[in-house]
């Protein structure tokens, strides 16, 4: 006899702690479900569905895009697959479709691992280990990357949850984003152009340092120059008119954050159009593998052989 195959999103790991519950899917070490007192904090998806829109995926060895799939590192040019062919970009790294294996599991936590194997466009072996842990203040994910190759490796990571503030439409949600700078991108391919202060560049759209309703604003941009709290972290809050909401908090190891309002080209005809806000703390800027192109610090991490790097973030109910 043969056992039934796992669902399309992989093996499911259910976590519970107090009022929180979460489900992690092994493909892409994806956060599939997160609820507090029965209220959805993220856009979930069915276990036997191919994960849509990178929902909840763990992004590595780069978040966001490598422009044109081409980059130069340590004097050598590399070309990686265009996983966003409509924009001719290499999107969200190489680990989002790996099937992670379990390392440890308890009622309120699970640790998964996968290995990015050397390949034409990324000839380094990097072990990714990620832990999801529930506590009284929400769900914390920690990603640890170890370079198992003999030479330095470029690296970046981040999550891809779509937040749900509450029952009202997204346009009525209020966003507080503690970022002083926004990365201008091309409208067609979302390739980086220049970094601007939010106070001087389409302020009504991008300056969210004070909470304001999203309205009709369309965002698919990276922000930086983050305001850190007393604990040395940044906190983004999304709230519903009913008084509930959700927040994402992260540390200084993620100096960038991508915010995407989920706008679809076919608009209201698409059931996923503006149903959640993707909030992606990132260790590096879009196209950081081409860091030398830009007059600002992209935050690119260079992993030395045998060295590990870790970053973490938390999602909690308001």
């Amino acid at each position: 006899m043969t056992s039934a195959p796992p669902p399309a999103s992989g093996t499911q790991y259910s976590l519970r702690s107090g009022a929180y519950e979460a489900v992690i899917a092994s493909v892409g070490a994806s956060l599939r479900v997160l609820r507090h007192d029965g209220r959805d904090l993220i856009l979930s998806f069915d276990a036997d569905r191919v994960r849509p829109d990178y929902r909840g995926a763990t992004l590595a060895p780069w978040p966001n895009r490598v422009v044109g799939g081409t980059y130069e590192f340590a004097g050598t040019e590399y070309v990686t697959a265009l996983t966003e062919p409509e924009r001719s970009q290499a999107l969200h790294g190489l680990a989002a479709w790996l099937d992670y294996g379990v390392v440890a599991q308890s009622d309120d936590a699970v640790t998964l691992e996968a290995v990015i194997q050397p390949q034409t466009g990324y000839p380094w072996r990097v072990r990714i280990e990620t832990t999801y842990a529930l506590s009284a203040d929400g769900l914390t994910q920690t990603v640890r990357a170890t370079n198992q190759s003999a030479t330095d490796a470029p690296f970046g990571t981040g999550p891809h949850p779509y937040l749900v503030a509450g029952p009202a439409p997204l346009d009525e949600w209020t966003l507080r984003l503690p970022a002083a700078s926004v990365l201008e991108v091309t409208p067609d391919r979302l390739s980086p152009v220049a970094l601007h202060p939010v106070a001087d560049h389409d302020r009504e759209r991008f300056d969210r340092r004070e909470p304001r309703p999203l309205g009709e604003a369309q965002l698919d941009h990276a922000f930086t120059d983050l305001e850190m709290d007393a604990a040395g972290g940044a906190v983004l809050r999304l709230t519903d008119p009913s008084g509930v909401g959700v927040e994402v908090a992260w540390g200084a190891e993620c100096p960038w954050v991508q915010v995407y309002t989920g706008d679809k080209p076919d608009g209201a005809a698409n059931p996923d159009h503006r149903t959640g806000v993707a909030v992606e703390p990132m260790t590096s800027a879009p196209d950081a593998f081409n860091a030398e192109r830009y007059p600002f610090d992209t935050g690119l991490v260079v992993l030395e052989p045998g060295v590990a790097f870790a970053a973490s973030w938390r999602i909690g109910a308001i």
Side-chain angles (χ1 to χ4, degrees), residues 176 178 226-229 231-236 248-252 254 257 314:
R176 182 186 182 273
L226 303 172
E227 171 191 327
M228 298 295 181
D229 60 20
V235 181
L236 179 151
V248 181
W250 63 94
C254 292
V257 61
R314 175 183 59 81

Side-chain angles (χ1 to χ4, degrees), residues 10-192:
T11 305
Q12 308 293 302
Y13 300 95
S14 297
L15 311 179
R16 286 186 175 274
S17 178
Y20 283 98
E21 59 179 305
V23 180
I24 314 304
S26 64
V27 175
S30 301
L31 175 59
R32 192 176 68 78
V33 175
L34 179 60
R35 296 189 180 104
H36 179 265
D37 266 341
R39 175 169 64 92
D40 286 317
L41 303 182
I42 63 168
L43 284 182
S44 61
F45 61 97
D46 292 340
D48 205 25
R49 180 183 179 189
V50 174
R51 185 195 57 224
D53 297 329
Y54 288 89
R55 286 189 200 177
T58 298
L59 312 179
W62 68 86
N64 216 280
R65 294 163 176 84
V66 175
V67 171
T70 301
Y71 64 98
E72 184 176 309
F73 183 75
T76 300
E77 184 176 89
Y78 300 98
V79 180
T80 189
L82 300 181
T83 51
E84 191 182 30
E86 67 275 18
R87 291 187 172 125
S88 297
Q89 309 283 39
L91 185 66
H92 291 330
L94 304 168
W97 298 105
L98 295 180
D99 192 16
Y100 283 64
V102 63
V103 175
Q105 184 179 9
S106 64
D107 289 344
D108 59 4
V110 65
T111 298
L112 305 173
E113 69 171 353
V115 176
I116 300 170
Q117 297 293 349
Q119 51 201 274
T120 303
Y122 190 81
W124 298 277
R125 178 176 287 110
V126 177
R127 178 178 178 267
I128 307 296
E129 181 182 276
T130 185
T131 298
Y132 286 94
L134 283 174
S135 65
D137 59 355
L139 179 71
T140 297
Q141 181 185 10
T142 301
V143 174
R144 303 173 191 85
T146 304
N147 182 2
Q148 298 182 331
S149 299
T151 59
D152 291 352
F155 182 78
T157 188
H160 205 295
Y162 282 77
L163 305 186
V164 177
L170 182 149
D171 292 16
E172 297 178 19
W173 297 348
T174 293
L175 172 66
R176 182 186 182 273
L177 169 60
S181 297
V182 61
L183 186 61
E184 179 188 358
V185 292
T186 59
D188 52 349
R189 300 178 61 206
L190 303 184
S191 300

